[in-house]
Amino acid sequence: MASANPFFDDMRSKPEVIDPPQSEDMMDVGENVNDTASNSLKPNVAVSSSVRELLECPVCLNAMYPPIHQCSNGHTLCSGCKPRVHNRCPTCRHELGNIRCLALEKVAASLELPCKYQSFGCMGIYPYYSKLKHESQCIYRPYNCPYAGSECTVIGDIPSLVAHLKDDHKVDMHSGSTFNHRYVKSNPQEVENATWMLTVFSCFGQYFCLHFEAFQLGMAPVYIAFLRFMGDDDEAKNYSYSLEVGGNGRKMIWQGVPRSIRDSHRKVRDSFDGLIIQRNMALFFSGGDRKELKLRVTGRIWKEQ
């Protein structure tokens, strides 16, 4: 049941992934969280809204997991929120103490619920205490928008994200497995608005995101180009790519495996998993008076046999 007290609004956060309780009176949970064949829809598993409300923390509104605390009047609270309310029940303001609601924990252990990504295609039914773990790894969970130029909060499946990138972010779309791009910047000393380019390529029946940007490394900006795969990591490993940049008779070549968009843009960039070009080398490749960045990045994508 949700609290109407705005005092607790700022305490609401995303649920943590919590393993099932390891006690003899709790049900055994299988490890294969995506085995929808063994967890297919079953009859008589509907859970009333009143039971779900009983398992909802009144502060963060997330599902509660052991230890579930209660006050002397029987009001419950999740373990994560207990220290935040300074040991006072958020419902009646009585002292919480260390009373544990074992009855509600056992009720939860008897429940089976559908995955929250049911609308994305997951038809599995999971025990209450393994549902959260399953959802953190569910193959049907939506992807975050891979656009790095803004804090975009859009999520969805791959077709909807491709349409979103094209229509809302105006990203360039290309067909084919080879590319040849030229990046120009009049003041290479600046790294503001660091994400310069995102291009989406369609090949082998899949979509790939090519990133090129500047970011600060120590006292000077560096440039990085890398490829991300619009899909999961196990599929991304079926592909490889190469990048090449050069000028004045010199060139640098990078070969790697595209990272899944499950990994954030920042995580890939900060791991330096791509073609890294130091500023002095980038200006050398640019030629001229070395005051303007003019880089040509070529590359290709291929499927491993």
Side-chain angles (χ1 to χ4, degrees):
M1 54 192 97
S3 168
N5 189 339
F7 173 76
F8 300 107
D9 286 349
D10 60 342
M11 298 180 181
R12 298 172 184 173
S13 59
K14 295 182 179 178
E16 298 178 358
V17 175
I18 302 176
D19 289 328
Q22 301 298 315
S23 61
E24 293 181 0
D25 55 355
M26 295 298 179
M27 65 194 307
D28 183 40
V29 177
E31 289 297 320
N32 193 348
V33 296
N34 283 315
D35 187 3
T36 55
S38 61
N39 291 289
S40 57
L41 288 174
K42 306 171 185 177
N44 303 321
V45 294
V47 180
S48 69
S49 60
S50 60
V51 175
R52 294 196 188 193
E53 287 177 359
L54 285 175
L55 290 165
E56 187 178 86
C57 174
V59 176
C60 66
L61 303 185
N62 293 324
M64 293 188 290
Y65 293 85
I68 298 175
H69 299 279
Q70 69 174 29
C71 72
S72 57
N73 289 327
H75 302 125
T76 54
L77 183 74
C78 79
S79 58
C81 289
K82 184 173 182 275
R84 304 178 189 178
V85 298
H86 308 292
N87 208 37
R88 290 285 176 182
C89 174
T91 304
C92 66
R93 307 304 297 163
H94 282 197
E95 187 174 348
L96 282 171
N98 291 308
I99 307 173
R100 184 168 170 177
C101 190
L102 295 176
L104 189 57
E105 292 178 7
K106 290 186 178 182
V107 168
S110 69
L111 301 180
E112 291 182 312
L113 302 172
C115 173
K116 72 177 182 179
Y117 300 125
Q118 192 176 63
S119 62
F120 288 92
C122 183
M123 294 292 106
I125 296 291
Y126 298 91
Y128 183 84
Y129 288 126
S130 67
K131 177 175 177 287
L132 202 61
K133 183 176 182 179
H134 158 78
E135 290 170 349
S136 72
Q137 306 171 40
C138 178
I139 61 174
Y140 293 98
R141 70 192 189 277
Y143 298 88
N144 295 317
C145 172
Y147 190 76
S150 64
E151 296 298 324
C152 184
T153 58
V154 170
I155 62 172
D157 57 17
I158 298 303
S160 65
L161 285 182
V162 170
H164 163 69
L165 289 170
K166 179 180 178 181
D167 298 336
D168 299 328
H169 293 300
K170 310 302 180 185
V171 169
D172 289 334
M173 301 284 174
H174 294 272
S175 296
S177 58
T178 61
F179 43 88
N180 187 335
H181 285 292
R182 191 165 181 260
Y183 301 98
V184 178
K185 190 170 178 65
S186 59
N187 187 356
Q189 308 296 326
E190 297 179 357
V191 291
E192 288 79 8
N193 302 316
T195 301
W196 293 358
M197 182 73 72
L198 171 62
T199 307
V200 174
F201 293 91
S202 172
C203 55
F204 307 108
Q206 306 288 349
Y207 291 94
F208 300 83
C209 297
L210 175 64
H211 296 264
F212 181 83
E213 67 172 271
F215 70 102
Q216 199 76 25
L217 183 63
M219 299 300 293
V222 297
Y223 310 98
I224 183 170
F226 57 88
L227 198 71
R228 287 202 290 167
F229 175 75
M230 295 189 71
D232 284 331
D233 186 60
D234 57 345
E235 294 180 87
K237 293 175 181 177
N238 295 324
Y239 300 90
S240 296
Y241 74 101
S242 64
L243 297 172
E244 181 178 314
V245 63
N248 288 330
R250 282 86 169 175
K251 65 181 178 181
M252 296 173 61
I253 299 175
W254 163 267
Q255 181 173 320
V257 175
R259 296 278 287 271
S260 165
I261 60 171
R262 294 286 189 203
D263 289 336
S264 70
H265 158 268
R266 181 178 293 274
K267 180 179 180 179
V268 179
R269 186 197 71 184
D270 291 350
S271 66
F272 309 117
D273 193 3
L275 176 64
I276 304 289
I277 313 164
Q278 299 291 334
R279 182 181 60 183
N280 288 340
M281 183 62 71
L283 293 175
F284 177 78
F285 287 154
S286 300
D289 56 9
R290 298 167 63 95
K291 293 182 179 180
E292 183 178 44
L293 183 70
K294 295 179 181 179
L295 287 179
R296 183 175 297 279
V297 177
T298 60
R300 70 183 184 96
I301 305 165
W302 65 92
K303 188 173 184 178
E304 297 291 350
Q305 299 300 321

